[in-house]
């Protein structure tokens, strides 16, 4: 475990002139402030540094705004995007009066989830391996006001530009739904993705592979090797940071918005997960798909609480432009081995017990990773503790089934309001071990409803004019 002395030594060895303190707001965006390296002393790792918590989304009222960041020395790395040599530290948030960890700090929620797993005696490590997808665009413009509303995205790879005069247009634009994954020149972004990988590796992330994804217009995927829950929460934040900043270097823009393009695939984030105890993988067994009884209970917990989970793992209104029955996203709550149309899949790449895991396929990369991973772990543990039964697997092509065959297969919520309603009704499992608190649940519901659901409900949609202007 790295210490304060180790972090200070790294700054000295790398001739850092500044220190960047990073932490996550309630919704999932990194915040930061920077100090000269002369301010980095050992007591900072104990007493912390103050900031205004009332200016952070979903946090403190203005009459109780003082908060502290406590840097975690194990997260010390050199920031690859600063012009001047800068040490980066990820921080936990503490109340300056009570000295207690702040309940609305997403990293604290993830830390408590890991602690709860250990307290149950079921296992000691929960591993997560997300596969975030994203788009790399050349242009993005949008506006919304009292009398107009529009968005415009563009990419030199976009199939819609096959007839544009580009002086000259060189062709090789991936057809809709055929971006997975031909070589260059159809895939024009191998080098930029590789640069993203190098940036990730420079901050200690381990990348398994990178490739173009299904959609036209620069859809991409870079896969991280699995890590324990909190470390993967940290890694996902660095992942997004590297993707966005490398894109910016190239005069491009990257988005983790789930469904930015109509008529082509959206961006999901399949999440592989497993529980270990010591050196023993607990999901390996002799049951269906080579899984253990414990793993099947975990799957049952995920499926039972899937509607509630969507409030955290598919947390935007745009998420439900992707989670639509009959299209590419797995909306039907079933499990299967190999079958990618199931919401919960058992990968069959390797017979090794260490490779046994489940893959939850309905999350998307707009989520706050710390809270999403913690919520899925709590749902799975609830399934184990209550010995829930996932039922029979569904090994058929779900999209080929008739309505009669699908009538008994539940599906994910159809909208963000539906997911929030599920969270309001079913969240006791999240409260175990004080991992999530009633305050966290209530604040999440209030923020999402007042800042996202209501503003969207009040605004005319541009396509409504095409449908109804001549009514």
């Amino acid at each position: 475990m790295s210490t304060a002395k180790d972090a200070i030594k790294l700054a000295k060895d790398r001739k850092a002139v500044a220190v960047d303190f990073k932490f996550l707001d309630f919704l999932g965006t990194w915040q930061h402030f920077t100090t000269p390296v002369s301010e980095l002393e050992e007591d900072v790792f104990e007493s912390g540094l103050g900031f205004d918590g009332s200016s952070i989304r979903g946090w403190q009222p203005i009459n109780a705004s003082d908060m502290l960041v406590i840097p975690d020395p194990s997260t010390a790395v050199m920031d690859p995007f600063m012009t001047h040599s800068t040490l980066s530290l990820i921080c936990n948030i503490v109340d300056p009066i009570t000295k207690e960890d702040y309940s609305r700090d997403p990293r604290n929620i993830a830390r408590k989830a890991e602690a709860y797993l250990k307290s149950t005696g079921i296992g000691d490590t929960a591993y997560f391996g997300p596969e975030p997808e994203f788009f790399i665009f050349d242009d993005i413009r949008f506006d919304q006001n009292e009398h107009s509303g529009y968005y415009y995205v563009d990419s030199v790879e976009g199939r819609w530009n096959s007839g544009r005069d580009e002086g000259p247009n060189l062709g090789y634009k991936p057809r809709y739904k055929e971006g997975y994954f031909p070589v260059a020149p159809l895939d024009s972004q191998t080098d930029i993705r590789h640069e993203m990988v190098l940036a990730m590796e420079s901050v200690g992330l381990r990348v398994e592979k990178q490739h173009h994804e299904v959609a036209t217009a620069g859809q991409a995927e870079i896969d991280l090797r699995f890590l324990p829950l909190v470390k993967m929460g940290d890694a996902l934040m660095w992942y997004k940071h590297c993707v966005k900043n490398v894109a910016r270097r190239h005069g491009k823009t990257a988005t983790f918005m789930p469904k930015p393009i109509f008529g082509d695939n959206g961006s999901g984030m399949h999440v592989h997960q497993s529980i270990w105890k010591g050196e023993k993988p607990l999901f390996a067994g002799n049951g269906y798909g080579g899984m253990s009884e414990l793993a099947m209970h975990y799957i049952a917990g995920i499926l039972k609480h899937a509607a509630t989970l969507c409030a955290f793992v598919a947390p935007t209104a745009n998420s439900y432009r992707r989670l639509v029955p009959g299209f590419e996203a797995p909306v039907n709550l079933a499990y299967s081995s190999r079958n990618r149309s199931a919401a919960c899949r058992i990968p069959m790449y390797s017979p090794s017990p260490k490779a046994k895991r489940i893959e939850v396929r309905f999350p998307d990369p707009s989520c706050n990773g710390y809270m999403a991973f913690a919520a899925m772990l709590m749902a799975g543990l609830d399934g184990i503790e209550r010995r829930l039964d996932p039922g029979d697997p569904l090994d058929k092509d779900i999209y080929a089934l008739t309505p009669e065959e699908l009538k008994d297969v539940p599906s994910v919520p159809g909208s963000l309001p539906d997911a929030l309603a599920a969270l309001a009704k079913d969240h006791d499992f999240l409260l175990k071990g004080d991992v999530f608190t009633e305050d966290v649940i209530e604040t999440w519901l209030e923020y999402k409803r007042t800042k996202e659901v209501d503003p969207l409900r009040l605004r005319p949609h541009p396509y409504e004019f095409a449908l109804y202007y001549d009514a």
Side-chain angles (χ1 to χ4, degrees):
M1 181 69 176
S2 299
T3 66
K5 284 186 172 63
D6 296 326
I8 293 170
K9 183 177 185 299
L10 176 62
K12 183 178 180 180
D13 291 347
R14 299 293 293 272
K15 296 181 171 54
V17 298
V19 184
D20 201 53
F21 298 88
K22 295 179 173 71
F23 62 95
L24 203 68
D25 73 5
F26 197 49
L27 277 295
T29 299
W30 249 353
Q31 312 293 309
H32 80 130
F33 59 86
T34 309
T35 70
V37 74
S38 58
E39 295 295 306
L40 185 67
E41 299 177 349
E42 284 190 50
D43 65 351
V44 169
F45 293 87
E46 293 293 333
S47 56
L49 296 169
F51 72 99
D52 176 9
S54 68
S55 296
I56 306 301
R57 294 185 300 175
W59 277 16
Q60 293 293 85
I62 197 167
N63 62 308
S65 60
D66 289 353
M67 302 294 288
L68 293 174
V69 296
I70 306 292
D72 181 344
S74 70
T75 67
V77 294
M78 302 306 295
D79 193 307
F81 299 105
M82 297 293 191
T83 300
H84 303 288
S85 183
T86 301
L87 182 78
S88 175
L89 292 162
I90 298 176
C91 304
N92 299 315
I93 308 302
V94 169
D95 186 292
I97 306 300
T98 66
K99 304 301 182 184
E100 293 180 351
D101 292 320
Y102 186 41
S103 63
R104 296 186 196 173
D105 173 15
R107 195 168 193 264
N108 181 36
I109 291 170
R111 291 160 64 209
K112 289 190 291 183
E114 285 191 325
Y116 179 73
L117 168 62
K118 293 177 182 177
S119 76
T120 65
I122 292 169
D124 50 40
T125 307
Y127 287 109
F128 287 81
E131 299 176 345
E133 298 169 348
F134 55 93
F135 280 88
I136 303 169
F137 292 135
D138 292 291
D139 190 26
I140 171 65
R141 290 180 280 124
F142 53 89
D143 195 13
Q144 184 77 50
N145 52 51
E146 291 76 11
H147 70 281
S148 66
Y150 73 92
Y151 68 89
Y152 179 84
V153 297
D154 202 12
S155 166
V156 70
E157 270 201 3
R159 187 66 178 182
W160 57 81
N161 284 324
S162 60
R164 183 172 68 176
D165 183 359
E166 296 178 343
N169 187 320
L170 300 178
Y172 296 111
K173 302 180 190 298
R175 285 179 283 270
Y176 297 108
K177 298 184 182 295
E178 292 187 24
Y180 186 89
F181 31 44
V183 300
L186 269 173
D187 179 1
S188 67
Q189 297 181 345
T190 300
D191 288 339
I192 190 172
R193 292 195 306 270
H194 187 58
E195 189 174 325
M196 292 169 178
V197 170
L198 293 176
M200 292 177 194
E201 290 181 332
S202 77
V203 295
L205 306 190
R206 185 172 172 184
V207 173
E208 292 187 331
K209 62 179 177 294
Q210 58 97 339
H211 56 82
H212 205 287
E213 256 299 337
V214 173
T216 190
Q219 191 182 33
E221 178 175 315
I222 300 173
D223 296 337
L224 296 175
R225 185 166 178 81
F226 63 88
L227 287 169
L229 193 157
V230 173
K231 288 185 180 298
M232 183 52 79
D234 295 343
L236 185 59
M237 295 312 300
W238 271 117
Y239 180 109
K240 291 184 175 183
H241 193 65
C242 291
V243 165
K244 292 175 181 178
N245 281 284
V246 170
R248 180 90 174 192
R249 276 180 184 168
H250 288 261
K252 296 179 184 290
T253 177
T255 181
F256 292 90
M257 183 177 177
K259 190 72 173 180
I261 295 177
F262 168 68
D264 210 336
N265 283 34
S267 293
M269 187 178 77
H270 309 147
V271 183
H272 297 256
Q273 46 204 280
S274 64
I275 295 176
W276 288 50
K277 193 167 190 176
E279 298 300 314
K280 182 181 179 183
L282 300 183
F283 279 14
N286 298 316
Y288 174 82
M291 302 298 277
S292 66
E293 183 179 351
L294 179 140
M296 302 311 290
H297 293 320
Y298 189 100
I299 289 172
I302 294 288
L303 296 178
K304 178 174 178 58
H305 298 297
T308 292
L309 292 179
C310 280
F312 293 110
V313 306
T316 69
N318 185 253
S319 299
Y320 300 87
R321 308 297 188 199
R322 168 181 170 261
L323 293 174
V324 178
F327 291 87
E328 82 276 3
V331 300
N332 295 293
L333 296 174
Y335 73 96
S336 175
S337 66
R338 302 186 69 182
N339 188 348
R340 293 173 186 269
S341 60
C344 189
R345 186 175 76 95
I346 300 170
M348 301 297 290
Y349 297 124
S350 170
S352 169
K354 292 183 177 181
K356 285 302 173 185
R357 61 195 187 277
I358 70 163
E359 178 192 19
V360 180
R361 294 178 61 82
F362 51 88
D364 69 57
S366 68
C367 71
N368 177 330
Y370 296 103
M371 296 172 77
F373 301 151
M376 285 187 282
L377 176 61
M378 296 303 289
L381 290 177
D382 186 61
I384 293 170
E385 291 167 335
R386 296 168 57 192
R387 299 184 65 81
L388 298 179
D389 182 358
D392 296 327
L394 191 55
D395 290 330
K396 299 177 181 178
D397 179 356
I398 295 175
Y399 300 130
L401 298 180
T402 66
E404 179 65 22
E405 291 174 303
L406 274 175
K407 66 180 177 63
D408 295 323
V409 180
S411 61
V412 299
S415 68
L416 180 58
D418 289 347
L420 297 175
L423 173 62
K425 182 178 180 181
D426 170 38
H427 61 257
D428 286 350
F429 71 98
L430 295 171
L431 305 178
K432 294 178 182 179
D434 200 38
V435 175
F436 290 76
T437 63
E438 286 285 4
D439 173 68
V440 165
I441 302 298
E442 290 169 5
T443 304
W444 189 263
L445 290 170
E446 180 184 11
Y447 189 95
K448 287 286 177 177
R449 286 168 170 164
T450 60
K451 303 294 187 182
E452 298 180 30
V453 173
D454 287 346
L456 280 167
R457 285 195 306 185
L458 291 170
R459 285 168 168 79
H461 188 287
Y463 195 62
E464 290 175 4
F465 285 82
L467 292 173
Y468 308 126
Y469 186 77
D470 59 350

PDB file of all heavy atoms in Angstrom, residues 179-200:
ATOM      1  N   GLY A 179     -19.603  -1.227 -38.502  1.00  0.00           N
ATOM      2  CA  GLY A 179     -18.317  -0.733 -38.045  1.00  0.00           C
ATOM      3  C   GLY A 179     -17.491  -1.743 -37.272  1.00  0.00           C
ATOM      4  O   GLY A 179     -16.332  -1.497 -36.953  1.00  0.00           O
ATOM      5  N   TYR A 180     -18.068  -2.898 -36.961  1.00  0.00           N
ATOM      6  CA  TYR A 180     -17.401  -3.939 -36.163  1.00  0.00           C
ATOM      7  C   TYR A 180     -16.905  -5.037 -37.105  1.00  0.00           C
ATOM      8  O   TYR A 180     -17.698  -5.853 -37.559  1.00  0.00           O
ATOM      9  CB  TYR A 180     -18.382  -4.512 -35.156  1.00  0.00           C
ATOM     10  CG  TYR A 180     -17.813  -5.495 -34.163  1.00  0.00           C
ATOM     11  CD1 TYR A 180     -17.290  -5.051 -32.954  1.00  0.00           C
ATOM     12  CD2 TYR A 180     -17.823  -6.864 -34.420  1.00  0.00           C
ATOM     13  CE1 TYR A 180     -16.792  -5.957 -32.024  1.00  0.00           C
ATOM     14  CE2 TYR A 180     -17.326  -7.770 -33.495  1.00  0.00           C
ATOM     15  CZ  TYR A 180     -16.820  -7.310 -32.296  1.00  0.00           C
ATOM     16  OH  TYR A 180     -16.321  -8.201 -31.374  1.00  0.00           O
ATOM     17  N   PHE A 181     -15.575  -5.165 -37.279  1.00  0.00           N
ATOM     18  CA  PHE A 181     -14.605  -4.100 -37.210  1.00  0.00           C
ATOM     19  C   PHE A 181     -13.591  -4.312 -38.322  1.00  0.00           C
ATOM     20  O   PHE A 181     -12.582  -5.002 -38.169  1.00  0.00           O
ATOM     21  CB  PHE A 181     -13.903  -3.998 -35.855  1.00  0.00           C
ATOM     22  CG  PHE A 181     -13.709  -5.309 -35.088  1.00  0.00           C
ATOM     23  CD1 PHE A 181     -13.282  -6.466 -35.709  1.00  0.00           C
ATOM     24  CD2 PHE A 181     -13.946  -5.374 -33.725  1.00  0.00           C
ATOM     25  CE1 PHE A 181     -13.083  -7.658 -35.005  1.00  0.00           C
ATOM     26  CE2 PHE A 181     -13.750  -6.557 -33.024  1.00  0.00           C
ATOM     27  CZ  PHE A 181     -13.325  -7.694 -33.651  1.00  0.00           C
ATOM     28  N   PRO A 182     -13.887  -3.745 -39.530  1.00  0.00           N
ATOM     29  CA  PRO A 182     -12.972  -3.865 -40.672  1.00  0.00           C
ATOM     30  C   PRO A 182     -11.692  -3.061 -40.441  1.00  0.00           C
ATOM     31  O   PRO A 182     -11.674  -2.107 -39.654  1.00  0.00           O
ATOM     32  CB  PRO A 182     -13.784  -3.285 -41.831  1.00  0.00           C
ATOM     33  CG  PRO A 182     -14.743  -2.350 -41.190  1.00  0.00           C
ATOM     34  CD  PRO A 182     -15.077  -2.944 -39.859  1.00  0.00           C
ATOM     35  N   VAL A 183     -10.633  -3.416 -41.150  1.00  0.00           N
ATOM     36  CA  VAL A 183      -9.346  -2.736 -40.993  1.00  0.00           C
ATOM     37  C   VAL A 183      -9.360  -1.382 -41.705  1.00  0.00           C
ATOM     38  O   VAL A 183     -10.317  -1.030 -42.393  1.00  0.00           O
ATOM     39  CB  VAL A 183      -8.191  -3.605 -41.558  1.00  0.00           C
ATOM     40  CG1 VAL A 183      -8.104  -4.923 -40.830  1.00  0.00           C
ATOM     41  CG2 VAL A 183      -8.372  -3.833 -43.062  1.00  0.00           C
ATOM     42  N   ALA A 184      -8.272  -0.629 -41.532  1.00  0.00           N
ATOM     43  CA  ALA A 184      -8.085   0.631 -42.256  1.00  0.00           C
ATOM     44  C   ALA A 184      -8.067   0.349 -43.765  1.00  0.00           C
ATOM     45  O   ALA A 184      -7.692  -0.741 -44.178  1.00  0.00           O
ATOM     46  CB  ALA A 184      -6.770   1.267 -41.817  1.00  0.00           C
ATOM     47  N   PRO A 185      -8.527   1.284 -44.586  1.00  0.00           N
ATOM     48  CA  PRO A 185      -8.900   2.652 -44.241  1.00  0.00           C
ATOM     49  C   PRO A 185     -10.335   2.842 -43.758  1.00  0.00           C
ATOM     50  O   PRO A 185     -10.685   3.951 -43.366  1.00  0.00           O
ATOM     51  CB  PRO A 185      -8.671   3.409 -45.552  1.00  0.00           C
ATOM     52  CG  PRO A 185      -8.967   2.390 -46.615  1.00  0.00           C
ATOM     53  CD  PRO A 185      -8.453   1.083 -46.061  1.00  0.00           C
ATOM     54  N   LEU A 186     -11.175   1.758 -43.780  1.00  0.00           N
ATOM     55  CA  LEU A 186     -12.519   1.926 -43.227  1.00  0.00           C
ATOM     56  C   LEU A 186     -12.445   2.337 -41.761  1.00  0.00           C
ATOM     57  O   LEU A 186     -13.162   3.229 -41.319  1.00  0.00           O
ATOM     58  CB  LEU A 186     -13.339   0.638 -43.383  1.00  0.00           C
ATOM     59  CG  LEU A 186     -14.170   0.510 -44.658  1.00  0.00           C
ATOM     60  CD1 LEU A 186     -14.780  -0.870 -44.761  1.00  0.00           C
ATOM     61  CD2 LEU A 186     -15.272   1.569 -44.678  1.00  0.00           C
ATOM     62  N   ASP A 187     -11.602   1.681 -40.994  1.00  0.00           N
ATOM     63  CA  ASP A 187     -11.355   2.102 -39.619  1.00  0.00           C
ATOM     64  C   ASP A 187     -10.258   3.155 -39.662  1.00  0.00           C
ATOM     65  O   ASP A 187      -9.071   2.842 -39.793  1.00  0.00           O
ATOM     66  CB  ASP A 187     -10.928   0.900 -38.771  1.00  0.00           C
ATOM     67  CG  ASP A 187     -10.630   1.286 -37.328  1.00  0.00           C
ATOM     68  OD1 ASP A 187     -10.770   2.475 -36.983  1.00  0.00           O
ATOM     69  OD2 ASP A 187     -10.234   0.399 -36.548  1.00  0.00           O
ATOM     70  N   SER A 188     -10.656   4.401 -39.538  1.00  0.00           N
ATOM     71  CA  SER A 188      -9.696   5.510 -39.666  1.00  0.00           C
ATOM     72  C   SER A 188      -9.139   5.955 -38.317  1.00  0.00           C
ATOM     73  O   SER A 188      -8.342   6.895 -38.270  1.00  0.00           O
ATOM     74  CB  SER A 188     -10.383   6.712 -40.333  1.00  0.00           C
ATOM     75  OG  SER A 188     -11.375   7.255 -39.479  1.00  0.00           O
ATOM     76  N   GLN A 189      -9.543   5.279 -37.228  1.00  0.00           N
ATOM     77  CA  GLN A 189      -9.202   5.805 -35.907  1.00  0.00           C
ATOM     78  C   GLN A 189      -8.355   4.846 -35.069  1.00  0.00           C
ATOM     79  O   GLN A 189      -8.273   4.999 -33.843  1.00  0.00           O
ATOM     80  CB  GLN A 189     -10.478   6.188 -35.159  1.00  0.00           C
ATOM     81  CG  GLN A 189     -11.237   7.299 -35.875  1.00  0.00           C
ATOM     82  CD  GLN A 189     -12.493   7.743 -35.177  1.00  0.00           C
ATOM     83  OE1 GLN A 189     -12.988   7.062 -34.289  1.00  0.00           O
ATOM     84  NE2 GLN A 189     -13.010   8.897 -35.569  1.00  0.00           N
ATOM     85  N   THR A 190      -7.706   3.879 -35.700  1.00  0.00           N
ATOM     86  CA  THR A 190      -6.847   2.970 -34.947  1.00  0.00           C
ATOM     87  C   THR A 190      -5.773   3.726 -34.184  1.00  0.00           C
ATOM     88  O   THR A 190      -5.518   3.461 -33.000  1.00  0.00           O
ATOM     89  CB  THR A 190      -6.181   1.948 -35.901  1.00  0.00           C
ATOM     90  OG1 THR A 190      -7.194   1.205 -36.569  1.00  0.00           O
ATOM     91  CG2 THR A 190      -5.292   0.990 -35.123  1.00  0.00           C
ATOM     92  N   ASP A 191      -5.122   4.683 -34.841  1.00  0.00           N
ATOM     93  CA  ASP A 191      -4.017   5.401 -34.206  1.00  0.00           C
ATOM     94  C   ASP A 191      -4.482   6.252 -33.028  1.00  0.00           C
ATOM     95  O   ASP A 191      -3.814   6.299 -31.991  1.00  0.00           O
ATOM     96  CB  ASP A 191      -3.295   6.278 -35.231  1.00  0.00           C
ATOM     97  CG  ASP A 191      -2.467   5.463 -36.218  1.00  0.00           C
ATOM     98  OD1 ASP A 191      -2.139   4.306 -35.884  1.00  0.00           O
ATOM     99  OD2 ASP A 191      -2.162   5.970 -37.306  1.00  0.00           O
ATOM    100  N   ILE A 192      -5.627   6.923 -33.170  1.00  0.00           N
ATOM    101  CA  ILE A 192      -6.097   7.771 -32.071  1.00  0.00           C
ATOM    102  C   ILE A 192      -6.512   6.908 -30.876  1.00  0.00           C
ATOM    103  O   ILE A 192      -6.256   7.262 -29.721  1.00  0.00           O
ATOM    104  CB  ILE A 192      -7.235   8.703 -32.531  1.00  0.00           C
ATOM    105  CG1 ILE A 192      -7.542   9.745 -31.449  1.00  0.00           C
ATOM    106  CG2 ILE A 192      -8.493   7.939 -32.881  1.00  0.00           C
ATOM    107  CD1 ILE A 192      -8.518  10.818 -31.911  1.00  0.00           C
ATOM    108  N   ARG A 193      -7.113   5.744 -31.157  1.00  0.00           N
ATOM    109  CA  ARG A 193      -7.463   4.847 -30.046  1.00  0.00           C
ATOM    110  C   ARG A 193      -6.202   4.321 -29.375  1.00  0.00           C
ATOM    111  O   ARG A 193      -6.146   4.173 -28.146  1.00  0.00           O
ATOM    112  CB  ARG A 193      -8.337   3.692 -30.537  1.00  0.00           C
ATOM    113  CG  ARG A 193      -9.729   4.098 -30.991  1.00  0.00           C
ATOM    114  CD  ARG A 193     -10.648   2.878 -31.117  1.00  0.00           C
ATOM    115  NE  ARG A 193     -10.084   1.853 -31.966  1.00  0.00           N
ATOM    116  CZ  ARG A 193     -10.270   1.762 -33.275  1.00  0.00           C
ATOM    117  NH1 ARG A 193     -11.030   2.660 -33.912  1.00  0.00           N
ATOM    118  NH2 ARG A 193      -9.724   0.791 -33.981  1.00  0.00           N
ATOM    119  N   HIS A 194      -5.163   4.025 -30.186  1.00  0.00           N
ATOM    120  CA  HIS A 194      -3.918   3.537 -29.598  1.00  0.00           C
ATOM    121  C   HIS A 194      -3.285   4.613 -28.725  1.00  0.00           C
ATOM    122  O   HIS A 194      -2.729   4.307 -27.658  1.00  0.00           O
ATOM    123  CB  HIS A 194      -2.940   3.097 -30.684  1.00  0.00           C
ATOM    124  CG  HIS A 194      -1.702   2.437 -30.144  1.00  0.00           C
ATOM    125  ND1 HIS A 194      -1.749   1.311 -29.356  1.00  0.00           N
ATOM    126  CD2 HIS A 194      -0.388   2.770 -30.239  1.00  0.00           C
ATOM    127  CE1 HIS A 194      -0.517   0.970 -28.995  1.00  0.00           C
ATOM    128  NE2 HIS A 194       0.323   1.849 -29.523  1.00  0.00           N
ATOM    129  N   GLU A 195      -3.387   5.849 -29.143  1.00  0.00           N
ATOM    130  CA  GLU A 195      -2.869   6.939 -28.314  1.00  0.00           C
ATOM    131  C   GLU A 195      -3.643   7.026 -26.991  1.00  0.00           C
ATOM    132  O   GLU A 195      -3.064   7.314 -25.935  1.00  0.00           O
ATOM    133  CB  GLU A 195      -2.945   8.260 -29.073  1.00  0.00           C
ATOM    134  CG  GLU A 195      -2.232   9.408 -28.388  1.00  0.00           C
ATOM    135  CD  GLU A 195      -2.190  10.668 -29.235  1.00  0.00           C
ATOM    136  OE1 GLU A 195      -2.074  10.556 -30.471  1.00  0.00           O
ATOM    137  OE2 GLU A 195      -2.268  11.772 -28.642  1.00  0.00           O
ATOM    138  N   MET A 196      -4.942   6.764 -27.048  1.00  0.00           N
ATOM    139  CA  MET A 196      -5.738   6.716 -25.818  1.00  0.00           C
ATOM    140  C   MET A 196      -5.247   5.597 -24.897  1.00  0.00           C
ATOM    141  O   MET A 196      -5.130   5.765 -23.676  1.00  0.00           O
ATOM    142  CB  MET A 196      -7.218   6.511 -26.159  1.00  0.00           C
ATOM    143  CG  MET A 196      -7.865   7.695 -26.848  1.00  0.00           C
ATOM    144  SD  MET A 196      -9.506   7.291 -27.517  1.00  0.00           S
ATOM    145  CE  MET A 196      -9.986   8.889 -28.199  1.00  0.00           C
ATOM    146  N   VAL A 197      -4.946   4.430 -25.497  1.00  0.00           N
ATOM    147  CA  VAL A 197      -4.430   3.299 -24.725  1.00  0.00           C
ATOM    148  C   VAL A 197      -3.110   3.666 -24.061  1.00  0.00           C
ATOM    149  O   VAL A 197      -2.887   3.376 -22.872  1.00  0.00           O
ATOM    150  CB  VAL A 197      -4.261   2.058 -25.627  1.00  0.00           C
ATOM    151  CG1 VAL A 197      -3.495   0.956 -24.893  1.00  0.00           C
ATOM    152  CG2 VAL A 197      -5.626   1.533 -26.078  1.00  0.00           C
ATOM    153  N   LEU A 198      -2.220   4.309 -24.794  1.00  0.00           N
ATOM    154  CA  LEU A 198      -0.924   4.688 -24.231  1.00  0.00           C
ATOM    155  C   LEU A 198      -1.099   5.655 -23.066  1.00  0.00           C
ATOM    156  O   LEU A 198      -0.385   5.574 -22.054  1.00  0.00           O
ATOM    157  CB  LEU A 198      -0.036   5.308 -25.311  1.00  0.00           C
ATOM    158  CG  LEU A 198       0.426   4.354 -26.425  1.00  0.00           C
ATOM    159  CD1 LEU A 198       1.212   5.128 -27.476  1.00  0.00           C
ATOM    160  CD2 LEU A 198       1.269   3.217 -25.861  1.00  0.00           C
ATOM    161  N   ALA A 199      -2.043   6.579 -23.195  1.00  0.00           N
ATOM    162  CA  ALA A 199      -2.312   7.508 -22.090  1.00  0.00           C
ATOM    163  C   ALA A 199      -2.829   6.751 -20.873  1.00  0.00           C
ATOM    164  O   ALA A 199      -2.424   7.026 -19.736  1.00  0.00           O
ATOM    165  CB  ALA A 199      -3.315   8.569 -22.526  1.00  0.00           C
ATOM    166  N   MET A 200      -3.726   5.784 -21.102  1.00  0.00           N
ATOM    167  CA  MET A 200      -4.245   4.972 -19.997  1.00  0.00           C
ATOM    168  C   MET A 200      -3.129   4.181 -19.330  1.00  0.00           C
ATOM    169  O   MET A 200      -3.037   4.112 -18.091  1.00  0.00           O
ATOM    170  CB  MET A 200      -5.327   4.021 -20.510  1.00  0.00           C
ATOM    171  CG  MET A 200      -6.598   4.714 -20.970  1.00  0.00           C
ATOM    172  SD  MET A 200      -7.794   3.534 -21.658  1.00  0.00           S
ATOM    173  CE  MET A 200      -8.941   4.654 -22.460  1.00  0.00           C
TER     174      MET A 200
END
